[in-house]
Amino acid sequence: MATNATIERGRSLGGSLLMVGLVAGCIVSAVWANLWKSDLRVADVRVSGNSIVTEKEVLSLANIGKAQKLYSVDLMAAQKRVMQNAFVKSAAVNREAPNLISITMQERVPIAAVVLDKIEYLDVDGVVLPPVRSENIFDLPVLTGAFQAGEFVPGKQVMRGDVREALEILATAQQLSDELYRRISEVHVESGKDIMFYTAESGVPVVFGSGDAGVKLVKLDGFWKEIVLHEGTQQIGYVDLRFEDQVVVRWNDEKKEVQSTRAVAGKSVKQKKS
């Protein structure tokens, strides 16, 4: 009969052989997987999230050739190349086995135009965007003022305070409603003076002042719908939003002021002659 020691030696040997087999299996699997991965080729590069930058431009910047080895593509380098386009706010380049590269983008969307020697665009962050060579045609509010060409460099962020505030006004209007945003055709900024804008309909001057963009725009929107849509814009001299809880309007015809006061709940409108 086998002794206990002999049985233990047999078990130990069997366990060792099993372990060697498992290790060898793992090594073979890893080698096979690496060989499989090394043979994978890029069959397609797909672009998503773009509406301003054309797919052709993105693919050209990424410079990832089809039939290139999938795992030899430098994803970070491709991402940096795509980000060279000023309209690209962020980009992610990823491998998707077995044969796909995906490029997912977020674009900088123009919110205003500024006319200097040529038209430049500004996004909500104040980044200057170059003219677009694509099918996109932007119908945007125009930013005017005493500007120097050197203040607006494509790809750079404008740091001038009054310009940034003008962009904040437009962004807030856009968030409130597209109709309100489209009502603004021009925003004028001048150092040391109140910000003004002009309406798309009849070019009505609106004295905006500074600060409280959301509150002022909500007041203007309510006043416009309650009064202006009924009275019309032709006889409005100007609108002044600088007063707390009211909109003051100078009418050309009757020389009167109309004050629209918004309470916490409901609205009240009163008129008085000058």
Side-chain angles (χ1 to χ4, degrees), residues 46-103:
R46 295 180 186 173
V47 179
S48 62
N50 62 308
S51 60
I52 300 171
V53 185
T54 66
E55 181 176 299
K56 183 178 179 181
E57 287 178 293
V58 177
L59 293 176
S60 177
L61 287 169
N63 192 27
I64 300 172
K66 290 185 178 181
Q68 183 177 348
K69 288 186 177 182
L70 183 68
Y71 283 87
S72 70
V73 175
D74 188 334
L75 302 180
M76 186 62 69
Q79 179 192 36
K80 288 180 179 179
R81 291 194 295 269
V82 171
M83 291 286 292
Q84 289 174 3
N85 188 295
F87 279 94
V88 180
K89 186 173 186 177
S90 65
V93 184
N94 295 294
R95 271 183 280 267
E96 296 186 15
N99 55 12
L100 176 66
I101 295 287
S102 65
I103 302 174

Side-chain angles (χ1 to χ4, degrees), residues 42 92 145 163 206 268:
V42 177
V163 172
V206 178
S268 63

Side-chain angles (χ1 to χ4, degrees), residues 3-57:
T3 64
N4 290 337
T6 303
I7 294 172
E8 288 300 324
R9 283 197 297 273
R11 288 177 178 175
S12 178
L13 179 60
S16 299
L17 291 174
L18 178 60
M19 182 60 69
V20 170
L22 289 174
V23 171
C26 290
I27 293 173
V28 170
S29 297
V31 170
W32 180 85
N34 285 328
L35 290 173
W36 175 76
K37 286 173 59 176
S38 67
D39 199 44
L40 292 178
R41 302 283 173 166
V42 177
D44 195 14
V45 181
R46 295 180 186 173
V47 179
S48 62
N50 62 308
S51 60
I52 300 171
V53 185
T54 66
E55 181 176 299
K56 183 178 179 181
E57 287 178 293

